[in-house]
Amino acid sequence: DAGVIQSPRHEVTEMGQEVTLRCKPISGHDYLFWYRQTMMRGLELLIYFNNNVPIDDSGMPEDRFSAKMPNASFSTLKIQPSEPRDSAVYFCASSFSVSETQYFGPGTRLLVL
Amino acid sequence: SQQGEEDPQALSIQEGENATMNCSYKTSINNLQWYRQNSGRGLVHLILIRSNEREKHSGRLRVTLDTSKKSSSLLITASRAADTASYFCATDKAGGTSYGKLTFGQGTILTVHP
């Protein structure tokens, strides 16, 4: 298996622009997680899905952030409008079942100027 | 505050030595997981230990879990320069709406000198 795939790997944008991050989980995994990593706050869970349904979005910072999972093989995390404080590395992870090993993608490094 | 707290924050050793990292947490857990992150890369899963387990091994890695003390340790034996990375513990809290959610600590930065 190719593992979790994320795109783009790097994104540089200007404040106010819309940013869309993409994730393809490992085939057969029912759970998909979005994380954000910053020096100040470490690794934080933003939202996770089970069978394409959002289960817990309590980590989503504010209404500017939204996530969707239209099918089992694709998810997006959208920031609109983006702000400099959104600069971080965003990771997607998937797992076969709840409370099992999570497999992380390589991350998207986002810089908002 | 973070559920998992790693100690030490940074560890510098010579190749061939053992490295021990500790993790403490606050609430009951379903399992505790250790991950490695090389600089600028994604996280790689190392070991998952469940709340009813006390010790697990994987190659040069040994993980212990003491649920009475709410702590875990990761031991890397005969370290190599390639083990240089950040190591994170992550807890899957038991009960309620937290099921399946991992909470990560701030990590231990391990440097292994050749």
Side-chain angles (χ1 to χ4, degrees), chain A residues 9 33 35 37-43 45 48 56 58 91 98-107 109, chain B residues 2 30-31 33 35 37 40-45 48 50 88 92 97-106:
Chain A
R9 294 292 306 277
F33 305 82
Y35 291 89
Q37 186 177 36
T38 61
M39 289 293 292
M40 290 296 295
R41 300 177 65 86
L43 202 63
L45 177 66
Y48 79 95
D56 189 325
S58 59
F91 289 102
V98 72
S99 290
E100 291 295 335
T101 299
Q102 293 185 19
Y103 295 87
F104 281 73
R109 191 172 296 272
Chain B
Q2 296 285 346
N30 294 313
N31 65 64
Q33 304 181 32
Y35 288 81
Q37 184 178 34
R41 308 291 291 274
L43 281 80
V44 174
H45 182 262
L48 182 154
R50 302 190 189 280
F88 295 88
D92 177 5
T97 58
S98 299
Y99 200 45
K101 293 171 59 172
L102 289 182
T103 303
F104 284 80
Q106 291 290 350

Side-chain angles (χ1 to χ4, degrees), chain A:
Chain A
D1 200 311
V4 176
I5 299 172
Q6 291 186 247
S7 65
R9 294 292 306 277
H10 302 273
E11 178 81 27
V12 180
T13 190
E14 292 186 346
M15 184 173 63
Q17 296 297 308
E18 178 179 294
V19 175
T20 299
L21 311 180
R22 298 172 177 80
C23 175
K24 182 183 187 322
I26 293 172
S27 178
H29 282 193
D30 291 335
Y31 287 81
L32 183 141
F33 305 82
W34 282 101
Y35 291 89
R36 177 173 67 176
Q37 186 177 36
T38 61
M39 289 293 292
M40 290 296 295
R41 300 177 65 86
L43 202 63
E44 305 172 282
L45 177 66
L46 300 177
I47 185 171
Y48 79 95
F49 295 82
N50 176 26
N51 290 324
N52 315 336
V53 176
I55 302 300
D56 189 325
D57 64 355
S58 59
M60 296 284 264
E62 47 197 272
D63 292 345
R64 297 185 298 106
F65 285 69
S66 63
K68 295 181 179 180
M69 192 165 185
N71 57 63
S73 60
F74 183 65
S75 176
T76 60
L77 178 67
K78 187 174 293 186
I79 309 172
Q80 167 63 20
S82 58
E83 297 182 2
R85 59 191 167 122
D86 302 330
S87 297
V89 182
Y90 291 81
F91 289 102
C92 176
S94 69
S95 67
F96 177 72
S97 180
V98 72
S99 290
E100 291 295 335
T101 299
Q102 293 185 19
Y103 295 87
F104 281 73
T108 295
R109 191 172 296 272
L110 173 65
L111 178 61
V112 183
L113 302 174

Side-chain angles (χ1 to χ4, degrees), chain B residues 46-106:
Chain B
L46 298 176
I47 288 185
L48 182 154
I49 187 165
R50 302 190 189 280
S51 59
N52 61 353
E53 297 175 312
R54 292 296 167 258
E55 187 171 313
K56 287 190 84 168
H57 297 256
S58 176
R60 294 183 295 111
L61 306 181
R62 172 178 169 253
V63 168
T64 61
L65 179 65
D66 187 333
T67 53
S68 66
K69 295 181 179 178
K70 292 185 169 58
S71 67
S72 173
S73 67
L74 170 66
L75 168 67
I76 304 174
T77 60
S79 64
R80 306 166 181 168
D83 295 328
T84 295
S86 293
Y87 291 81
F88 295 88
C89 70
T91 51
D92 177 5
K93 289 192 284 187
T97 58
S98 299
Y99 200 45
K101 293 171 59 172
L102 289 182
T103 303
F104 284 80
Q106 291 290 350

